[in-house]
Amino acid sequence: MARRYDSRTTTFSPEGRLFQVEYALESVNHAGTCVGLRTNTGVLLASEKKTMSKLLEQSSTPEKLWKIDKHIVIAVAGLNADAMILVNFARLVAGQYKARYGLPIPVENLVQELGDHMQGYTQFGGLRPYGVAFLFAGWQGGFQLYQSEPSGNFSAWKAAAIGASHQAARSILKTEYSEGLDISEAKGIVSKVLQKTMDCMSLTEDKVEMVYLSYNELNGEVELERILL
Amino acid sequence: MDVVFGFVGYDFAVLVADRAATQQIIVQKSDEDKIAVVDGTKIMATSGPRGDCVAFAEYVAANVRLYRLKYQHELDVKATAHYARNELATALRKGPYQVNALLAGVDANGPELYFMDYLATCHRVNTGGHGYGGMFCLSLFDKHWVPNMSRAQAMELVDLCVAEVCERLVTAPTEYLVKIVDKKGVEVIEYDATERLAKRREVQMQAREAARQAAARVGA
């Protein structure tokens, strides 16, 4: 029976649900875990890389972390192909804002624009929603961490997790998080979260991507640093 | 032949514009407001054909308002100036808006003044002016403008500028509007040059007379 309401993204089920949006969320929940943590000097983003084969050519570009502008990085959980379209869109939006107002785009503006775009596919004309959730790390006078969902919803966090076993990750973050963490403490927490949520025995370098976004007071520039385990 | 000028002070910025709407040699109106309020903390004085000025000021103000409604925060003065300049630059190749503008505002970075002309020049300045009237003011700004001026000092400088314009410009208007913007909002002062300059001259005469008498007493 479910099929009657499944095939159209824009049709509510009798219980008032949009199945396609929920399925999109489901595809996010099967993707590698992404964790974000705000510290007093920056934002740490980490994601689980699902390495498939040792025959696979190691690419130098990251799989799940993307730079949108000088001051924004995002972590992706979900369908990578969908994510790349949205990454392109986000870069376009950031560039257009810069051209229009001469300033880097405020993180919330970008998240909102992306949310509006993603929401469109839960309402209009027979296309499926994006099967992607994001964590946004950015700097705009202070550090920000946002999360967005396939439905177009977004929210701001001090620490957040998306992807597979994000609920477990979230509960660990809840107990471990405290105000005014420094980078090494944050790294410890993130490693612990990934260790617990990944279904492997040991956490190794090739399974994790980590980036730390911080602000350099001296030259007024946002710095992105690749963090190793 | 609009007279438009402005400058920044300690925690505020001042814009001054005359109130005459003219068409060639005819004064059509003498209570025109040439300083548009873009939002609570930003004002823009415009010079040029009134139609273009009003259209441009309203367009900028409406878009700044739209931005605030859409993103729940306000644009910086810098961003507003960049946006307005961009609109002038776009219009330049298909129109253009024949508008020279001064945009003043206060945000977290303090008071700022931006000079813009219809060719889409945009500079952040401490003092600026448009038209012949504005040019007369420039040398006065060079001599009398100092950083962090108080409101009293600012009004003193406005008096000097208007006095100069009234003395040197053939078609000097007598009615002006002074708008002072700070982080709390916009203050509007109606400025009648004839009245105000007469009062000023009287005070100067009295001071000169007092000085002369003092000198005479020392001499005796």
Side-chain angles (χ1 to χ4, degrees), chain B residues 16-219:
Chain B
V16 183
D18 70 282
R19 308 194 68 177
T22 56
Q23 183 90 70
Q24 296 184 353
I25 59 161
I26 309 291
V27 176
Q28 292 174 315
K29 195 167 180 253
S30 52
D31 58 352
E32 175 76 347
D33 183 355
K34 296 178 186 178
I35 309 176
V37 175
V38 176
D39 69 13
T41 53
K42 294 174 201 82
I43 52 180
M44 183 162 73
T46 51
S47 161
R50 291 316 301 152
D52 280 17
C53 287
V54 171
F56 182 66
E58 283 182 355
Y59 182 72
V60 170
N63 275 291
V64 168
R65 194 177 142 86
L66 174 66
Y67 182 97
R68 194 176 66 233
L69 293 169
K70 199 170 166 191
Y71 299 110
Q72 293 109 48
H73 67 95
E74 274 182 20
L75 274 176
D76 287 354
V77 185
K78 186 184 174 189
T80 311
H82 195 279
Y83 167 71
R85 191 213 81 87
N86 216 22
E87 290 300 330
L88 287 170
T90 312
L92 185 61
R93 303 291 169 187
K94 45 176 178 179
Y97 281 119
Q98 286 182 23
V99 174
N100 298 321
L102 289 174
L103 177 76
V106 179
D107 59 24
N109 304 316
E112 289 177 2
L113 176 68
Y114 289 87
F115 172 101
M116 270 174 270
D117 69 12
Y118 82 105
L119 292 167
T121 309
C122 183
H123 288 300
R124 189 183 162 195
V125 290
N126 290 320
T127 63
H130 283 297
Y132 291 123
M135 287 181 204
F136 287 124
C137 300
L138 293 182
S139 50
L140 284 165
F141 289 145
D142 285 346
K143 193 167 161 66
H144 297 287
W145 183 87
V146 287
N148 301 321
M149 289 171 88
S150 70
R151 275 156 194 268
Q153 284 175 305
M155 282 313 287
E156 188 69 23
L157 183 50
V158 170
D159 286 341
L160 274 175
C161 290
V162 173
E164 190 66 19
V165 169
C166 288
E167 186 163 330
R168 296 294 172 192
L169 193 65
V170 182
T171 56
T174 54
E175 302 275 333
Y176 295 84
L177 214 52
V178 180
K179 290 197 186 180
I180 300 178
V181 62
D182 63 15
K183 63 174 187 283
K184 289 193 214 101
V186 183
E187 184 190 343
V188 183
I189 300 165
E190 294 195 8
Y191 188 107
D192 184 332
T194 335
E195 196 181 292
R196 187 136 178 145
L197 295 180
K199 205 174 286 170
R200 194 178 143 81
R201 216 166 294 131
E202 203 174 296
V203 172
Q204 280 173 345
M205 292 285 270
Q206 280 169 1
R208 215 170 293 156
E209 181 61 21
R212 199 182 59 77
Q213 283 177 1
R217 234 174 286 132
V218 172

